[in-house]
Amino acid sequence: MRALRAGWLSLLREIRLGSQPEGGRKTSFIAVDLHPFAPSLTVTWWRTPRAERSVKLLAASYLERAERGHHELMHVVELIQRTLQERCLDPGVFEGVLTAPAGSLFDRLAVAEADAVDTLHAAMEAQLLGDSGRWVAIHPLYRIVGASVDLGFANLRIVRPDDESYWRSLNGGRVLANWSPLTGHLTGSAIGFREGLFHAWLVGEYQGSKEGVRQRYKRDAQQAMAAVYAFWSEDRRRHRVAQVAQEHCLLLQDGPLRSGYELSGLGRVYPCYGDENEVALLAPRLRAWNLARAALSADAAQRLGNALCFVNLAMGSDDIAYYLHYFIALDALFGVRGRVEDSIVEGVRRVSALPAAADRAAWLFELRNELVHGGSRNVHEWPRYPDYLRHFDTEPERDIEAIVLDCLRRYPDAYAPGAPP
């Protein structure tokens, strides 16, 4: 509570009344007078550059309170600003805000600092509680075929459009009242996903704010589909070409306090591949992999999660971005500041079972440097590309993908507690 109290007081000192301070940003709004039948009043104040920093630091303090569910920094900033706007005429906190010729909100406190902060904090807690709710997040998957399946990813499940028993059980069947998994459209509306571009749905259930849930769902979906792609790609004989993908998810909320929906941007979580993926065949290995992943240390789990997200970005990219995202995934898994190349090569040698994987990784690190710092516009302009081709008889882009996906599959076992270094 000490950090929250200091954060509120710092913010109040940097919200100025009267004339504009240097670099100040103006805010005007209709204030809520807590007295019944009071007229609406317009309040204007100025946020200094320090206020912009202070409100973000205060929001970060609220984000650390895990029991508040999944929120997002800038959304919490909005809730803090809303709290101040709703309480600025509260005589139990402030006085003279409307008529003050100068000074700050801190100067207009009507009660002791601790009492004012307690009131603002209680109002903010109410904002967070009212803003939080239960959400169902849904994203279309193209050419994911077969039965509905739980792959062991927290919060997520892959569901067939015609799995009527699941859809009727989801949120008490209330999802079906608003949306059809068969058409992808909201009930009685053309709003939704393009028909013909989905064969399954990636469904997640969450508690939190809308934006916080969207970000959590995106990260969960990125990690899950990168892992699916890694196991699906094992022992394949040719490279799969990614095509256009639907880049939105549907967020549905149906609760006692509020309900609604939003079609929200998500990115290319699972591109459209030409091959069908019967993901249920991968389920035993993916569930075992997830069990091993759950036993990792916090640092190793964080590294693996970050690497999965970058692999997912690579899946939807091409050219230099494709290569660099895959290499960043290697850095996420193994990189150590001050000795990045050595730590990556050592990590690949420890984890990958591919032939000459560590030797290839050393060459591929040089290519990474050339693309980032050198003059090559693409992989084939790398001066050592002909040497790589002669030495390994493979393409660098195929090798970086193969090494990264192999490391993803093996990482939980290689870094399990008690595993040999």
Side-chain angles (χ1 to χ4, degrees):
M1 186 63 191
R2 181 179 300 175
L4 290 173
R5 181 174 289 112
W8 277 110
L9 296 176
S10 175
L11 176 60
L12 295 178
R13 289 186 176 95
E14 299 301 330
I15 296 180
R16 306 295 174 80
L17 306 169
S19 57
Q20 178 181 6
E22 182 178 354
R25 297 180 62 180
K26 183 178 181 180
T27 298
S28 292
F29 56 93
I30 304 297
V32 177
D33 194 316
L34 300 182
H35 294 288
F37 312 115
S40 297
L41 301 170
T42 300
V43 175
T44 297
W45 61 44
W46 303 87
R47 305 191 312 273
T48 70
R50 286 179 178 269
E52 303 299 319
R53 183 189 67 180
S54 295
V55 72
K56 290 177 183 177
L57 292 174
L58 180 57
S61 295
Y62 277 104
L63 284 177
E64 292 175 359
R65 300 168 66 84
E67 70 271 17
R68 291 298 150 226
H70 305 305
H71 292 271
E72 185 271 334
L73 181 75
M74 295 311 297
H75 185 67
V76 177
V77 166
E78 293 177 6
L79 295 181
I80 292 171
Q81 293 170 343
R82 186 188 306 170
T83 297
L84 284 176
Q85 292 173 13
E86 291 179 356
R87 290 287 165 174
C88 68
L89 300 185
D90 181 353
V93 184
F94 299 104
E95 62 181 357
V97 170
L98 278 172
T99 58
S104 66
L105 278 183
F106 180 81
D107 299 326
R108 309 315 305 174
L109 289 178
V111 295
E113 295 174 10
D115 295 335
V117 169
D118 286 346
T119 300
L120 293 173
H121 173 64
M124 182 63 186
E125 292 278 278
Q127 293 275 12
L128 288 168
L129 182 62
D131 183 68
S132 181
R134 291 203 61 81
W135 293 85
V136 175
I138 302 171
H139 179 70
L141 299 174
Y142 183 68
R143 290 189 176 274
I144 295 285
V145 298
S148 300
V149 63
D150 180 353
L151 299 175
F153 295 99
N155 307 312
L156 296 179
R157 185 180 178 90
I158 293 176
V159 186
R160 287 174 56 98
D162 60 356
D163 189 344
E164 186 174 350
S165 62
Y166 172 82
W167 295 113
R168 291 195 178 280
S169 69
L170 181 62
N171 203 21
R174 290 188 293 274
V175 167
L176 291 178
N178 299 300
W179 174 79
S180 169
L182 296 175
T183 67
H185 291 160
L186 293 167
T187 303
S189 170
I191 297 174
F193 302 98
R194 285 172 288 171
E195 291 190 55
L197 282 183
F198 58 84
H199 295 90
W201 299 102
L202 184 63
V203 182
E205 296 182 75
Y206 297 91
Q207 175 78 28
S209 69
K210 180 175 64 180
E211 180 58 23
V213 165
R214 187 191 72 83
Q215 293 205 13
R216 177 64 184 273
Y217 175 64
K218 178 176 181 178
R219 185 172 177 85
D220 287 350
Q222 285 181 317
Q223 294 182 6
M225 299 318 296
V228 166
Y229 182 73
F231 280 90
W232 185 44
S233 299
E234 192 172 15
D235 300 325
R236 72 181 175 196
R237 297 183 179 180
R238 60 183 174 81
H239 177 66
R240 292 191 175 93
V241 178
Q243 303 171 12
V244 67
Q246 300 196 58
E247 300 185 22
H248 295 83
C249 69
L250 181 65
L251 298 176
L252 291 163
Q253 184 182 31
D254 184 9
L257 296 178
R258 65 181 72 184
S259 60
Y261 68 87
E262 179 173 303
L263 202 60
S264 184
L266 196 69
R268 294 185 181 184
V269 168
Y270 190 76
C272 298
Y273 295 104
D275 300 341
E276 289 186 342
N277 180 357
E278 191 170 353
V279 75
L281 299 178
L282 306 174
R285 284 185 293 164
L286 276 165
R287 282 196 286 263
W289 180 86
N290 270 314
L291 284 173
R293 179 187 178 193
L296 290 172
S297 67
D299 177 69
Q302 184 67 42
R303 281 178 173 270
L304 180 56
N306 290 341
L308 287 166
C309 288
F310 281 110
V311 166
N312 189 255
L313 292 174
M315 289 163 56
S317 303
D318 56 18
D319 201 32
I320 289 180
Y322 169 90
Y323 184 91
L324 291 180
H325 281 134
Y326 268 120
F327 208 96
I328 293 171
L330 272 187
D331 195 355
L333 286 175
F334 307 120
V336 175
R337 184 176 299 177
R339 49 185 301 269
V340 176
E341 179 179 2
D342 290 345
S343 60
I344 288 175
V345 172
E346 291 168 6
V348 170
R349 181 176 290 111
R350 172 180 175 178
V351 176
S352 179
L354 297 179
D359 293 338
R360 295 171 198 258
W363 285 64
L364 296 171
F365 184 84
E366 184 178 331
L367 172 55
R368 172 262 181 201
N369 289 342
E370 175 69 19
L371 293 174
V372 174
H373 306 296
S376 298
R377 295 170 298 177
N378 56 57
V379 169
H380 298 137
E381 288 187 0
W382 179 33
R384 297 196 67 190
Y385 170 74
D387 298 330
Y388 189 95
L389 198 60
R390 283 190 290 266
H391 189 71
F392 295 110
D393 194 27
T394 52
E395 289 287 341
E397 299 103 312
R398 303 290 82 82
D399 281 352
I400 187 65
E401 181 187 72
I403 290 171
V404 172
L405 297 184
D406 188 49
C407 288
L408 288 184
R409 292 188 294 265
R410 297 174 178 275
Y411 189 90
D413 289 332
Y415 284 84

